[in-house]
Amino acid sequence: MSDTEPIQLGAVAVIALMVVFFGGTFLISFRIRRRRENADDFMTAGNRIGFGISAASMTATWIWASSMYASASSGYTYGISGPIHYGLWGALMILFIYPFGKRIREVAPKAHTLAEVMYARHGRGSQLMLASSNIVGSLISLMSNFIAGGVLISMLSPFNFVQGVIAIAAGVLLYTLWSGFRASVLTDFIQVMAMLATVVIVVPVIFVAADFPAAFETGAANLTPEQSNFFSSEAFMNQGAPYIAAVLAYAIGNQTIAQRLFAVRKDLIRPTFITATVGYGAMVIGVGMLGVLALYLGFEPTGGNTDNLIPEMAASYLPFALLCLVFVMIIGALASTADSDLSAMSSIVMADVYGQNIAGKQRANPAVMIWVGRITMIAATALAVVFASFEFSILDLLVFVGALWGALVFPVIASFYWKKVTNVGFVVGALAGIAIFIPVRFELFPYGGGFFALAIAVDVLAVLGIGVIFGLMAFGFFGLRTAYIVGVVTAVAAAPFAIGTLHEYATLSGSLVAYSASTILCFFLSFRSKREFDFSVIKERTGDFDTEHRHALGDDPETDETAQAADTVSGPAGARTANSTTKE
């Protein structure tokens, strides 16, 4: 522990830093706002973002304040392997997105949301399921970022937690409201550069101030045998393995990721995701090591809440100027993801609720769409502020949302590759995955006594889930044959060790049964279908809403035949016509 008392920035400094940060981002957002706004640009920036902005935006979106806090919490809870499990698997999951991303952009080059594509692929059932799950997930993500901001401000200033939450929410809403996704990606670039510079400076300074490496020698007694073991099974089963499952679900089902996938130029998808992989891993693992240092030092966070670790460690070991940098770093991290969540939710309501289901694609008014998006942002911010006041555990929220989305992973991926997937298979499979996830995750099943067979059944489903996850990973890079082999081998190899014990790890087994149940039902409800979907019609059913404005600007992306056909086929009537021959 530091010999000096933790310092605070004070009310004046905190207000000044927030005015500079959010005022600057607002000016950037205001400058890119056009006299006549474009609905498609508000959602996906015209599908033509370049490498630098897209890579920075993907990195900033994946690195949120919650991920920094959670990585430090993992290091404090599980020892040195904690941040590795958190950051490494999260980074690799970004890498696993791009092969699927290439396929998604191939079949739906001008889409705005994954739910919009599911409407073109299946109909309203799967669309509304994916849209609603993303709204819930983004709302939880937004809430967790507001929690992180509230904790930071309450730790470093005289303001309380609720005041901090409200200030962060107002600042993020201020600049995102004007230009939507365009404001998000442009400010992401500035925010990720600030985060990178701060991590490179601050983490080594804290280590030096805490007397590293001597602290690791004198503080070894503070660790349990599992915390001091780099290959800790406890760390892997409670942190690493659940996060492997959770982050793959984030990658496939998350609209904030999909939005950037639809925005970046198609030829830049691969370098964008590779760069984001490296950037995320380096920064998150580096910050997470502060939790490991706190563990060795015997540092006790206030109230035992590990979400307090980063701000309290910074306040204890940094001078005033560097503490200001940490404040800006965390504000930048949470703002970069919070604005992405707002943009994601607004796009879903604009494209899927208003554009497809209320007005219809041919009759949707782009000007009304933009106001729908802005009203959505305001409502979502208000709800997130209310929920943030409950101060849920950030790490638990992240794992819960990821596991919940796990039920959608196979149905979504299969819908882009397999012609036989039906709407019934998609919806029933996803609902079954969610239904079995909840009692397993929250340990509602009675495993003891005469219910041991139920525990074995859960373990068998979880083992199948292991095979599904590794099979899907292999499929993205190496194809179907390799996926079958990898999936079967991993499931068979895990079975002797997992059956009989895996149900004891509720977080992990909950994630795994969500994958397996949704996969099994989606497959068996679809494989006997005699109708095969024609993927080429997705290009016709998805596309720009504001085509008139694009023609007027001389920026007409509708240059190929399938895109030109979108205006005549993608509306409700066109969709019904296509349904008669190609939809299941």
Side-chain angles (χ1 to χ4, degrees), residues 390-409:
F390 293 104
E391 294 190 66
F392 297 110
S393 167
I394 289 175
L395 189 57
D396 289 344
L397 286 174
L398 296 180
V399 175
F400 175 78
V401 174
L404 198 60
W405 275 335
L408 291 163
V409 171

Side-chain angles (χ1 to χ4, degrees), residues 124-126 128-130 132-133 403-412 422-439 510 513-522 525:
R124 285 188 174 86
S126 56
L128 294 178
M129 175 166 288
L130 193 57
S132 58
S133 69
L404 198 60
W405 275 335
L408 291 163
V409 171
F410 179 83
V412 170
T422 65
N423 190 44
V424 171
F426 186 108
V427 173
V428 173
L431 288 176
I434 294 171
I436 195 170
F437 158 75
I438 292 173
V513 298
Y515 275 93
S516 60
S518 63
T519 299
I520 292 169
L521 281 174
C522 182
L525 290 173

Side-chain angles (χ1 to χ4, degrees), residues 326-342:
V326 171
F327 183 87
V328 172
M329 174 189 74
I330 298 176
I331 294 297
L334 68 89
S336 66
T337 305
D339 63 30
S340 300
D341 289 320
L342 289 177

